Amino acid sequence: MPVRRSGGVGVVPLLLVFCLAYVLGWMSSTSFQNLYIQNILSAPTPSPLPPETVPCILPPTPPSQPPPPPAPSTTPLEGRRMAFTDFLAPSAGVMHNMTDEELLWRASMAPRMKSQPKHVIAPKIAFLFLVRGDLPLRPLWDKFFEGHDELYSIYVHASPDYAGSPPAESPFYGRMIPSQRTMWGNINLLDAERRLLGNALLDLSNAHFALFSESCIPLIDLPTAHAYITGAGTNFVDSVDRRDSRVRHRPYFAEHNISLAQWRKGDQWFVMDREFALEVISDETYYGPVFRDGKHGVGHMEEHYIPTLINVLGLGDRNSNRPLMYSDWRHAQGPHPKSHNGSDVTEDYIREMRRGLSSWNCSYDGGVPELCALFARKFKPDTLEPLLQLAPKVMGIG
């Protein structure tokens, strides 16, 4: 219906003036109130629009008001109280942006009290995997860990170029730590081991630390392994005085207070407690100045540093001087132990590996145990299926 005009003043200008007055009233709290009023009132009255184009003009809806300020913060006693468990483990996972220097400094902090509330801290074994990328034997490890969350934690150091990931249902999912490149026989392997230990030490519920590669397997179930390791009262770091190790000792080491009599060699795949782990990551006397940056010209320090450090620090009486990792050196392939194929995986061979090698000084709690080795290496990917078949019957896994 056409809009009728009345008198000399149209309805539309009156409506516009009404809208502007409403807006001006809403903006009255601003510091520019007088300026806006002056400019708007001095503007010429707009010409009325043709009747057929007059819109339905409604007063603008005021913008939503900002939320009210938060109530004053309550005191700690009135708010959420911190629990003891808040101090135990990092809550944001294992990824962080700390440098190695920052990580090891933070990890070196430790309670000085020997006693601890055992009803709160369940001692876990930190499984440290030093790998290149994929874990081809992961399905076996998944079964090993399944249903025992309270007994373990996992940390994976892979190549920084590795972009893969285990499935979300695997206990390995989201467990890769910040890493650097490593090479066989290079000192950066020890950097990676210290990095793994540092990350695992941040969780105060980790009581023992075990190192593995992607070719390692468990020989028994996790509850048995956990009871064996936590009940031993000793560490399992291979640290022996052998003729083939002495040839790598140099006068340089003697000049830095590491004599030939203190020099040791051993399998790098250790199982150690928190005291040993703290000594390894906080050592500023021997690792950096002597082993890592020293001009000794010797490779494979991963076979010498930790075994020698334990001896230099006088901690040998708390060490079994044998590993828990079986490696078949009887059929060595050059500088490496035997690599096992699928055809090598038999029930008898698994039991043989658990008994260890005759050269080991295999004692436990003052006696000779049925189990000397709890883990073994080196197993190729084609061993997965036969291992999964034997696992329930022979290893108690699955």
Side-chain angles (χ1 to χ4, degrees):
M1 175 183 297
V3 178
R4 297 181 58 187
R5 305 177 185 269
S6 62
V9 181
V11 175
V12 172
L14 289 175
L15 186 56
L16 288 174
V17 170
F18 173 78
C19 294
L20 290 173
Y22 181 87
V23 172
L24 289 174
W26 179 75
M27 298 174 59
S28 62
S29 62
T30 67
S31 62
F32 301 103
Q33 173 185 1
N34 294 333
L35 178 61
Y36 278 128
I37 294 175
Q38 181 179 357
N39 289 342
I40 293 173
L41 293 180
S42 63
T45 303
S47 300
L49 295 173
E52 64 275 10
T53 61
V54 175
C56 180
I57 302 176
L58 298 176
T61 302
S64 59
Q65 297 297 319
S73 60
T74 58
T75 63
L77 291 178
E78 296 171 343
R80 177 187 179 277
R81 301 186 184 184
M82 295 186 70
F84 180 77
T85 52
D86 292 333
F87 294 93
L88 295 184
S91 59
V94 296
M95 291 303 295
H96 54 76
N97 60 1
M98 288 186 284
T99 65
D100 281 359
E101 181 183 23
E102 293 168 337
L103 169 67
L104 298 183
W105 179 83
R106 173 63 184 86
S108 68
M109 300 179 185
R112 297 187 63 181
M113 293 180 65
K114 296 297 184 182
S115 61
Q116 63 180 15
K118 293 182 174 61
H119 66 286
V120 175
I121 303 178
K124 294 183 179 180
I125 300 174
F127 288 78
L128 317 177
F129 286 84
L130 178 53
V131 303
R132 290 179 285 266
D134 287 325
L135 290 96
L137 304 176
R138 178 188 53 76
L140 177 64
W141 284 103
D142 285 352
K143 289 185 175 296
F144 175 78
F145 292 121
E146 185 177 2
H148 305 296
D149 293 352
E150 74 284 0
L151 301 182
Y152 74 91
S153 56
I154 295 174
Y155 302 83
V156 180
H157 187 292
S159 168
D161 299 326
Y162 176 65
S165 173
E169 63 272 15
S170 170
F172 287 88
Y173 181 78
R175 303 306 300 176
M176 285 197 295
I177 67 168
S179 62
Q180 299 292 331
R181 288 182 175 83
T182 59
M183 294 182 292
W184 180 73
N186 193 287
I187 192 68
N188 55 31
L189 286 174
L190 275 170
D191 291 341
E193 291 178 21
R194 285 160 57 91
R195 200 172 293 125
L196 281 162
L197 285 170
N199 279 275
L201 282 165
L202 296 180
D203 186 340
L204 293 180
S205 64
N206 289 326
H208 299 267
F209 308 81
L211 184 65
F212 303 90
S213 75
E214 63 263 42
S215 71
C216 297
I217 67 166
L219 297 175
I220 56 170
D221 61 279
L222 178 53
T224 302
H226 183 274
Y228 190 104
I229 291 170
T230 59
T234 187
N235 291 274
F236 297 93
V237 179
D238 196 23
S239 177
V240 294
D241 180 13
R242 292 195 295 245
R243 181 181 303 175
D244 62 341
S245 68
R246 294 188 176 192
V247 297
R248 290 182 182 168
H249 187 271
R250 298 288 187 272
Y252 177 88
F253 293 108
E255 294 168 5
H256 290 80
N257 301 316
I258 302 175
S259 66
L260 180 60
Q262 295 172 313
W263 186 255
R264 294 292 184 270
K265 181 182 179 181
D267 190 330
Q268 74 178 110
W269 312 105
F270 56 73
V271 177
M272 63 176 65
D273 61 16
R274 285 192 76 89
E275 182 180 347
F276 270 34
L278 285 166
E279 293 289 356
V280 171
I281 64 103
S282 61
D283 169 35
E284 296 180 295
T285 302
Y286 300 102
Y287 183 65
V290 182
F291 284 85
R292 193 184 196 287
D293 302 325
K295 308 300 180 183
H296 50 73
V298 183
H300 296 284
M301 286 295 99
E302 76 279 5
E303 298 178 352
H304 295 281
Y305 168 65
I306 294 178
T308 299
L309 179 69
I310 287 173
N311 196 37
V312 169
L313 297 179
L315 300 175
D317 59 342
R318 295 192 55 248
N319 185 38
S320 64
N321 294 321
R322 69 174 176 92
L324 292 179
M325 181 77 68
Y326 180 92
S327 302
D328 189 354
W329 289 103
R330 299 169 303 175
H331 306 95
Q333 299 168 338
H336 303 283
K338 178 182 178 180
S339 291
H340 304 293
N341 298 306
S343 58
D344 297 323
V345 179
T346 65
E347 181 176 341
D348 288 341
Y349 191 40
I350 296 294
R351 298 187 189 281
E352 178 185 339
M353 286 188 285
R354 288 201 293 235
R355 289 192 292 269
L357 298 174
S358 59
S359 60
W360 290 7
N361 177 24
C362 187
S363 62
Y364 185 91
D365 197 21
V368 179
E370 295 182 5
L371 289 172
C372 278
L374 309 185
F375 312 98
R377 58 187 289 264
K378 305 174 56 172
F379 287 79
K380 295 180 179 179
D382 71 330
T383 62
L384 177 60
E385 287 305 318
L387 285 169
L388 289 174
Q389 293 176 13
L390 284 178
K393 177 182 178 181
V394 183
M395 308 173 197
I397 299 172

